[in-house]
Amino acid sequence: MNAFVFSGDDVKDIEINFGMHKNIIEGLEAAGSNLQHVYFNSGGKWYGQAVGPIKTPCHESDPRHMPPNFYYNMQDYCEERRAQGAKWTWSSLRPNPVAGVSRGSYMNITTSVALYAVICKELNLPLRFPGSDFTWNAVNDVTDVDLLSDATVHLSTHKACENQAYNINNGDLFRWKELWPKIAHHFGMETGPNLHIELVSMMGTPDKKQLWDKIVKKYGLISAGWDELATWPFADFVFNQPSDWFQNCNKLKQAGFHGMLVDTDKMYIRLFKEMAEKKMIPDYAAQAKPLGGPVKVEGKGTPAMPGAESASIE
């Protein structure tokens, strides 16, 4: 129903995100709208993934962790309003990372992976996994945004699904150590030894912004500021998980939704191709060689990507 806004402060996140949730509902009611159903996304944060290691697979019946958690406020509000006589019903899905084609959507990991690969390629670097060794080997799930949309419609139009929350994923599980080489192959790159870096700081330096401007010009990409594209804090979160991260989705299947048949490996490649078609990233299969060479940056003291000796920052 509303987009997630991340402030870095759990209490402030409640104020912002629950505030949007509550204001939209009450605004529609005040305007005399014939509100029938309220749908809202929650996610793996419900189970405490942002707090520390969790048990897997996650089930909808698992106990809550110690608050604050604005997902709890959103669902509690809907349940309380129903108990007070609200005529509308509600439903919610709890995906882990969502994969789709977008710019700046906080929980969309696809754009960040693609932009990281493009920068590495243009610097003539191998595609190193930037996360922890544990996450490299951990079991994960993800949800295709089109699948999420289909499930949203299902919950909102089937009476048996009313006033409940459901887990969702593509229907398969993956490990980054198995998926990463396929991503590298798609971009025409070699992999290298894993190198644990903080993307939010490493990808935010002036040299990356300047390089991106050159890439946009050379490949004729849509003009978008570097800071408007990826969400590096969320990428760091995804690549540094303290436990496996996947859910049991039997409840959604038993509710009559059977669309969770997405091959995650093929999904990522399809999304990268769609990003290239939309000129969000270079289409390396059809374009010229990467820029390569040194990237000049005004000023001193700007850190280069680790291992970027062949494309040093002057």
Side-chain angles (χ1 to χ4, degrees), residues 137-214:
N137 292 286
V139 180
N140 297 269
D141 68 17
V142 68
T143 302
D144 188 321
V145 68
D146 290 339
L147 173 65
L148 184 65
S149 297
D150 291 343
T152 299
V153 173
H154 181 87
L155 296 191
S156 302
T157 56
H158 286 75
K159 190 173 181 61
C161 303
E162 293 176 353
N163 308 316
Q164 298 182 68
Y166 298 83
N167 292 337
I168 185 172
N169 61 29
N170 279 350
D172 64 359
L173 304 175
F174 72 94
R175 300 180 194 269
W176 285 109
K177 70 176 182 180
E178 296 165 353
L179 175 59
W180 203 253
K182 299 176 183 178
I183 295 174
H185 177 75
H186 171 74
F187 285 98
M189 302 171 67
E190 299 293 329
T191 58
N194 295 352
L195 186 61
H196 193 185
I197 61 174
E198 185 182 62
L199 291 171
V200 72
S201 59
M202 195 66 67
M203 303 304 286
T205 55
D207 59 299
K208 308 309 184 305
K209 298 178 182 180
Q210 292 177 19
L211 177 57
W212 178 249
D213 289 341
K214 292 183 178 182

